[in-house]
Amino acid sequence: MFDPATYFIVIDDFRTMRVIVKKTLNQLGYSNIIEAEDGAQAFVIMQKAHADGSPIQCVVSDWNMPNMSGLELLKKCRLDPNYKGVPFMLVTAENEQKQVIEAAKAGVSNYIVKPFSVTDFQTKLTQVYARHFKKAAA
Amino acid sequence: MGAPKINKDFFRAIVARAFINAVEKTVETYTGERPRQGTHEITYSLNPPYEVAGIVDFKCGGMDVMMMIVFDTSSICSLYESMLAEKVTSLTPEVQDCVGELANITYGNAKTPLSAEGYDLPMARPNVSLTYQERLKDRSCLHLPFETKTNLKIGLILAV
């Protein structure tokens, strides 16, 4: 599982879901959590964090947001050498196959459907970790 | 090819079921309790006894549909506390944000089974209203009340 010192960014235009995700991460032992209201704001924060030497190490983003959606942010990250390998989990209220395929093509690490429990979230996050780091360690 | 055309009976059977399931799942996840569905009502110009609504407008099967998830202050404050572990007693901006997110989750969860039925609902963004009754005037409304054992009351309204 991710180290407790991992830097997360939680992105959602609804404060409610940001707080739920943040509290879920807190319950799982993580406290380095930055919030953003949309993909555009998140990318600026990620750039600054990278420049400051404390880069974001895992992104948890809503899909459907104004300004820049979660999918657009994911595509932007995957094209940028600084963020192309950053674990990226999409949070969505929908579970349509075409969406799942679109996200997979864009390089998403995993996705979780709202509403979710702490256990659901932990399972997804463990899968994200395994996908990014267990292969590298093998 | 557009979505299949639907009549009102079909709307009630298929579309309403998708939204009912979405409300039940959402409330159960956040309260640990599956709500009971009360007796539905179908009427024009509904004037239900709730104080705040999360609203999503969308097209389905050639119909303009408005979905509302509605609450009285006490119930949404109680649900907010279950979701966020923060005590509230009034319809603060944070509580209204929560109503919007609940509408978002309900719509998104209903969208998935409807897509499997051939109704390709668009992505939509909810809005929150304290004067939502105005939007129900002269519309055919299906009102489905839900209640939990802990007296949390929720309304689902589908208006066409």
Side-chain angles (χ1 to χ4, degrees):
Chain A
M1 196 55 167
F2 285 96
D3 187 276
T6 300
Y7 280 88
F8 286 86
I9 187 163
V10 174
I11 313 157
D12 202 305
D13 52 324
F14 283 99
R15 173 195 177 265
T16 299
M17 194 47 63
R18 289 199 308 273
V19 173
I20 287 173
V21 173
K22 194 174 173 181
K23 289 193 172 183
T24 301
L25 284 166
N26 288 155
Q27 281 182 261
L28 296 175
Y30 303 103
S31 54
N32 294 328
I33 305 158
I34 298 166
E35 295 180 44
E37 293 181 12
D38 59 49
Q41 189 186 80
F43 197 71
V44 171
I45 291 170
M46 289 175 75
Q47 286 176 311
K48 187 173 185 308
H50 185 82
D52 290 347
S54 50
I56 299 297
Q57 294 161 305
C58 187
V59 179
V60 181
S61 177
D62 185 29
W63 184 307
N64 185 13
M65 296 180 290
N67 298 326
M68 185 190 289
S69 73
L71 187 67
E72 288 167 336
L73 176 65
L74 169 64
K75 288 176 178 173
K76 199 173 172 69
C77 286
R78 292 300 180 244
L79 288 172
D80 190 314
N82 290 332
Y83 316 110
K84 69 178 181 183
V86 175
F88 198 118
M89 184 154 77
L90 276 169
V91 181
T92 174
E94 301 160 27
N95 193 19
E96 291 180 54
Q97 196 178 9
K98 67 178 181 187
Q99 273 203 337
V100 175
I101 292 168
E102 196 178 3
K105 278 184 182 169
V108 76
S109 309
N110 211 339
Y111 71 96
I112 188 164
V113 180
K114 298 182 274 191
F116 52 80
S117 65
V118 174
T119 308
D120 295 335
F121 192 91
Q122 184 176 26
T123 301
K124 294 285 184 176
L125 200 60
T126 303
Q127 289 168 354
V128 170
Y129 181 83
R131 178 173 174 166
H132 280 266
F133 301 109
K134 287 210 171 154
K135 271 187 208 163
Chain B
M1 193 176 75
K5 295 286 180 190
I6 55 176
N7 62 33
K8 286 185 180 177
D9 288 338
F10 187 80
F11 173 82
R12 285 167 195 149
I14 303 297
V15 180
R17 176 44 58 191
F19 282 97
I20 289 166
N21 289 344
V23 169
E24 289 175 342
K25 182 184 171 191
T26 303
V27 173
E28 187 175 19
T29 301
Y30 291 124
T31 66
E33 189 185 349
R34 199 159 185 88
R36 293 185 311 274
Q37 190 193 317
T39 307
H40 73 271
E41 100 184 271
I42 299 166
T43 184
Y44 276 94
S45 302
L46 181 72
N47 191 16
Y50 304 100
E51 284 146 344
V52 61
I55 306 169
V56 179
D57 292 286
F58 61 99
K59 281 188 182 293
C60 180
M63 299 174 86
D64 288 315
V65 184
M66 180 167 58
M67 182 217 77
M68 289 185 178
I69 183 156
V70 286
F71 303 89
D72 59 39
T73 301
S74 164
S75 292
I76 188 58
C77 288
S78 174
L79 186 53
Y80 180 92
E81 196 175 341
S82 294
M83 293 170 73
L84 298 161
E86 294 171 5
K87 184 87 180 160
V88 283
T89 55
S90 63
L91 298 175
T92 61
E94 290 79 13
V95 173
Q96 291 184 45
D97 179 279
C98 181
V99 172
E101 179 60 33
L102 287 165
N104 188 35
I105 294 172
T106 303
Y107 178 73
N109 275 238
K111 194 171 174 287
T112 305
L114 289 173
S115 171
E117 293 277 350
Y119 302 102
D120 198 9
L121 273 58
M123 269 197 172
R125 294 196 46 74
N127 58 78
V128 177
S129 174
L130 301 175
T131 57
Y132 67 93
Q133 288 92 343
E134 290 169 10
R135 298 204 53 201
L136 296 172
K137 281 179 187 162
D138 303 321
R139 296 186 79 155
S140 180
C141 304
L142 169 62
H143 171 216
L144 297 134
F146 296 84
E147 190 170 355
T148 67
K149 284 178 189 161
T150 49
N151 208 28
L152 200 142
K153 294 182 176 69
I154 302 146
L156 169 67
I157 298 169
L158 294 166
V160 294

